[in-house]
Amino acid sequence: MRTITFINNKGGVGKSSSSVIVAHMLTQMGKKVLFVDVAPQGNSSSIFSDLDVIDLLANMIQGTETNQEVTVQDLFINSKMDIHEAIRKTRYENLDVIPALLTLAEIEEQLKADIKMPQQFRLKNHFKKIENEYDYCVIDCSPSISILNVNALAAADEVYLPVRCDGWSAVGVVVSKRLIDTVSEYNPALKIGGYFFTHFNARKKISKEILTLLNVILPEYFIPVTIPQSKDIEEMSVTGIPIGELDKNRKRKITQNYWELTKYIASNDNERKKIKNILMPEFEQMIIE
């Protein structure tokens, strides 16, 4: 199982939507995928999970819950539990999910207080039990520097950074890079797959400025695939249907670009060089125009 994470310390950069779309598109390539949500908001996993979050939380507040729903927070709390208890089937073939709840935010303090075992390897230890059951594990992280995200990175092989074309997103990339470097000290296998732009508009001056800035700071990690602004992302959050499912023939620009990104992620190093050589001239032309 190859484990990849999507992270940026800045929120609103398209991290959750990108992780959802890429996970679904990997299944369209014939891969078996486990999607894991470690963001307390649970936005991304709600698209795949049949868990009635509103009803569950209402019952928790009222103290009337009748059954215990198993989510990712249980994996953090209980190192001995069977991870299969947290895995849910989705309506999509070859795509399973481990969802998150808002109560996940409470877990971090519990982890800090537990000094009996290393905190950063809890997810990794659970994943070892299923490493032969999936081709990919895709993890959506929260926009923060937290022990939850550290766990995700400690369990990962690669990390991808979505970037919105603004200064705060660029700062988020730098902050996230520092976190990745720190985690790499005890997860030497972790590498940066690259960063890509979301909500991209080549006609805006700020888009070119942020692109230039990051290419100076982190030139080796640039992926020449840009995700345009699109109402399809907003509609996906309402319908709960990934773009790759709505637009199976990939007629829309945003679907085509996410497909290119997914192919890049699924490729090896030699293939990535070829993909960059093909995509870079088109990207450079778009910037010039």
Side-chain angles (χ1 to χ4, degrees):
M1 182 175 73
R2 184 174 161 196
T3 301
I4 62 175
T5 67
F6 288 80
I7 195 170
N8 190 319
N9 193 54
K10 172 68 171 63
V13 299
K15 175 182 53 57
S16 293
S17 55
S18 294
S19 62
V20 165
I21 294 169
V22 168
H24 177 260
M25 285 188 171
L26 283 170
T27 67
Q28 293 180 322
M29 292 180 175
K31 306 299 183 181
K32 188 171 183 180
V33 180
L34 175 65
F35 186 89
V36 181
D37 195 351
V38 299
Q41 298 87 345
N43 293 335
S44 53
S45 57
S46 66
I47 291 180
F48 294 139
S49 174
D50 60 357
L51 180 63
D52 191 336
V53 175
I54 295 177
D55 183 60
L56 176 60
L57 290 177
N59 289 337
M60 290 174 64
I61 292 171
Q62 297 168 9
T64 58
E65 66 267 34
T66 57
N67 63 314
Q68 180 64 43
E69 298 285 357
V70 180
T71 64
V72 72
Q73 70 186 51
D74 295 284
L75 298 180
F76 283 107
I77 296 172
N78 187 351
S79 61
K80 296 182 179 180
M81 76 169 288
D82 184 353
I83 187 175
H84 295 92
E85 295 179 28
I87 297 175
R88 298 170 178 274
K89 297 293 182 182
T90 72
R91 67 175 74 94
Y92 305 109
E93 186 178 2
N94 290 326
L95 181 56
D96 295 342
V97 60
I98 299 179
L101 288 175
L102 285 170
T103 48
L104 178 60
E106 303 172 1
I107 300 303
E108 186 166 8
E109 294 305 316
Q110 295 184 35
L111 293 178
K112 291 178 181 177
D114 185 358
I115 59 174
K116 295 179 182 178
M117 62 178 292
Q119 304 160 352
Q120 65 267 38
F121 300 119
R122 302 204 176 198
L123 274 186
K124 183 173 184 176
N125 290 337
H126 281 296
F127 287 169
K128 287 179 181 178
K129 304 168 188 175
I130 57 169
E131 60 186 2
N132 295 320
E133 298 178 25
Y134 295 91
D135 297 305
Y136 285 89
C137 174
V138 177
I139 308 177
D140 181 25
C141 297
S142 62
S144 65
I145 298 177
S146 68
I147 190 62
L148 304 179
N149 286 351
V150 168
N151 264 266
L153 292 172
D157 300 301
E158 280 191 315
V159 55
Y160 289 87
L161 301 104
V163 189
R164 191 163 182 154
C165 293
D166 60 58
W168 294 115
S169 292
V171 172
V173 169
V174 175
V175 173
S176 299
K177 172 68 164 53
R178 290 176 179 173
L179 178 62
I180 294 165
D181 290 342
T182 299
V183 175
S184 294
E185 293 179 8
Y186 46 84
N187 179 13
L190 178 65
K191 66 178 183 178
I192 297 176
Y195 67 88
F196 59 95
F197 286 96
T198 61
H199 305 273
F200 192 80
N201 187 337
R203 291 170 293 183
K204 289 186 176 181
K205 182 180 178 181
I206 186 64
S207 296
K208 297 179 181 180
E209 290 177 346
I210 297 300
L211 170 63
T212 301
L213 173 63
L214 286 178
N215 268 335
V216 170
I217 300 173
L218 302 168
E220 67 272 34
Y221 299 122
F222 175 59
I223 302 174
V225 176
T226 57
I227 307 302
Q229 293 177 317
S230 173
K231 62 180 178 59
D232 295 321
I233 296 293
E234 298 173 2
E235 292 178 358
M236 185 179 74
S237 67
V238 175
T239 63
I241 303 175
I243 287 174
E245 185 70 16
L246 286 174
D247 185 22
K248 290 185 177 180
N249 294 324
R250 296 190 282 277
K251 295 181 178 180
R252 304 174 190 178
K253 180 64 175 175
I254 189 169
T255 316
Q256 295 168 6
N257 289 18
Y258 265 120
W259 184 249
E260 292 295 338
L261 176 64
T262 305
K263 288 194 297 183
Y264 182 89
I265 291 173
S267 61
N268 59 40
D269 289 341
N270 289 331
E271 292 169 338
R272 288 179 181 182
K273 291 178 182 178
K274 295 178 182 179
I275 292 173
K276 279 190 174 184
N277 289 336
I278 293 173
L279 295 179
M280 190 60 79
E282 179 182 344
F283 175 80
E284 291 174 343
Q285 184 61 35
M286 177 178 63
I287 294 297
I288 294 173
E289 294 175 353

